[in-house]
Amino acid sequence: MPQSIKKDAEERMEKAIGALKRDLTSLRAGRATPSLLDRVQVEYYGAMTPVNQLANINTPDSRTLMIQPWDKSSLASIEKAIMKSDLGLTPSNDGSTIRLVIPALTEERRAELVKLTRKLGEEAKVAIRNIRRDANDDIKKLEKTDISEDESRRYQDDIQKTTDKFIAEVDKVLAAKEKEIMEV
């Protein structure tokens, strides 16, 4: 039973790392990628829908994203959602497609992106620590009935080591993203 608690905690921590990586791909680092629009939600017939489910997203060159909606009536909604997002991009609408020109990053914008990256990293660390707390609580409940105090302590130490490993992984992911953002 304690092994399954530890394994479950480890799987949940891996998912937290995966979520962090997914969130970081939506931060722009001076290059146009369709993943920049992953967090943009468009109100479409009363429901919030991701842009990539409403349109075809291409990168004709390294600094341009081209969005071609499948339903032309959603063009204005997509444009409005992009302007409301935290991307800091202004869409250009030609009646059938939306073009997003990705400007070169200024030093000020790079610093903002690094702050945002660190914020996302801190949120991932908090999620990992919450998973540790839940696992330790489950172990302590077992201590009352199924396992000894020594075993409980050993499992809690193992969970702490796993937590430390995943916190270090978050730091490594953040360092790589910050380096990518600061490249000129």
Side-chain angles (χ1 to χ4, degrees):
M1 187 77 161
Q3 283 300 101
S4 65
I5 292 171
K6 182 181 171 215
K7 186 174 193 260
D8 178 57
E10 196 166 329
E11 288 172 359
R12 290 174 56 202
M13 288 179 189
E14 285 174 3
K15 288 179 184 175
I17 296 285
L20 172 66
K21 288 178 180 177
R22 194 174 49 253
D23 286 346
L24 290 179
T25 61
S26 66
L27 292 180
R28 68 185 175 104
R31 289 183 295 277
T33 62
S35 64
L36 287 175
L37 300 174
D38 283 352
R39 293 186 299 155
V40 177
Q41 298 281 316
V42 179
E43 186 172 337
Y44 185 66
Y45 290 109
M48 297 307 284
T49 311
V51 173
N52 60 6
Q53 293 181 10
L54 297 174
N56 191 20
I57 303 171
N58 299 322
T59 53
D61 60 57
S62 66
R63 294 240 183 250
T64 307
L65 280 174
M66 192 166 74
I67 305 165
Q68 296 173 310
W70 295 307
D71 178 7
K72 300 295 183 210
S73 66
S74 67
L75 195 68
S77 301
I78 293 172
E79 188 175 17
K80 190 164 87 172
I82 292 169
M83 289 174 53
K84 281 185 179 177
S85 72
D86 63 350
L87 293 175
L89 299 174
T90 305
S92 161
N93 179 349
D94 69 2
S96 63
T97 60
I98 296 174
R99 291 188 188 284
L100 291 173
V101 177
I102 312 294
L105 292 175
T106 63
E107 194 62 35
E108 182 180 295
R109 181 67 178 147
R110 287 178 198 277
E112 287 176 26
L113 288 173
V114 167
K115 278 185 191 176
L116 184 56
T117 300
R118 289 182 181 155
K119 178 179 170 251
L120 292 172
E122 197 53 46
E123 289 171 2
K125 288 178 183 180
V126 167
I128 289 170
R129 290 181 190 121
N130 286 339
I131 294 166
R132 175 193 60 194
R133 183 196 63 224
D134 294 344
N136 283 340
D137 289 347
D138 291 344
I139 295 289
K140 287 175 186 172
K141 286 177 189 171
L142 284 178
E143 183 182 327
K144 295 176 184 173
T145 57
D146 296 342
I147 61 175
S148 70
E149 209 174 300
D150 289 340
E151 285 178 304
S152 171
R153 190 74 220 146
R154 202 168 326 125
Y155 282 115
Q156 288 179 37
D157 288 344
D158 286 347
I159 290 169
Q160 182 60 46
K161 287 176 187 170
T162 303
T163 302
D164 293 341
K165 179 180 88 173
F166 281 100
I167 295 287
E169 177 72 18
V170 167
D171 289 335
K172 192 170 88 174
V173 168
L174 289 178
K177 186 64 178 183
E178 286 179 23
K179 182 180 177 199
E180 178 186 335
I181 289 170
M182 295 310 284
E183 278 180 7
V184 177

